[in-house]
Amino acid sequence: MSAIKVLSSLATKEAYLELAPRFENATGHRIATTWAGTVDIMKRMAAGEVYDLLIASASAIDDLIRLGKVAPGSRTDMARTGIGFAVRAGAPRTSIKSGDDLRTALLAAKS
């Protein structure tokens, strides 16, 4: 039996490394994983490399669908991420309602 070929972004590596051995033990299927950043994933797929499973950002997968490199309708969202910002207790609060506000706040920060 050949291995399941997976191309995955690094963002999921920690969870993947915990879950993949469980999958292999439960199913008897072996997984061969290639780790790459999004830019490299796009280059590999554009060059015609073929994988059984692609784990990447929704936007990257959508781009690959538009390029005909991933089957339409095959995308399944598995997780969502968010970004949080905080200030030290007692520090003045800064507006970060826009990209420009955030840029200004980051450039003005002392640490």
Side-chain angles (χ1 to χ4, degrees):
M1 181 183 323
S2 63
I4 298 169
K5 288 180 60 178
V6 177
L7 176 59
S8 181
S9 71
L10 299 168
T12 61
K13 192 170 185 176
E14 187 173 337
Y16 182 96
L17 291 175
E18 182 178 332
L19 296 173
R22 293 181 192 178
F23 172 83
E24 289 177 322
N25 290 334
T27 66
H29 294 286
R30 196 172 62 80
I31 302 172
T33 307
T34 300
W35 299 101
T38 301
V39 171
D40 194 35
I41 287 172
M42 299 303 285
K43 286 179 183 176
R44 288 170 175 268
M45 296 297 289
E49 290 188 24
V50 178
Y51 296 88
D52 300 307
L53 176 66
L54 169 64
I55 302 172
S57 69
S59 60
I61 292 174
D62 287 343
D63 288 345
L64 291 167
I65 289 170
R66 279 191 288 281
L67 293 171
K69 300 296 182 179
V70 171
S74 66
R75 183 183 127 188
T76 299
D77 293 337
M78 297 173 47
R80 291 185 186 172
T81 61
I83 299 173
F85 294 92
V87 295
R88 183 177 44 237
R93 292 185 179 209
T94 303
S95 172
I96 53 171
K97 293 180 180 177
S98 71
D100 287 337
D101 286 349
L102 175 61
R103 183 177 188 280
T104 299
L106 290 174
L107 290 172
K110 293 182 177 141
S111 64

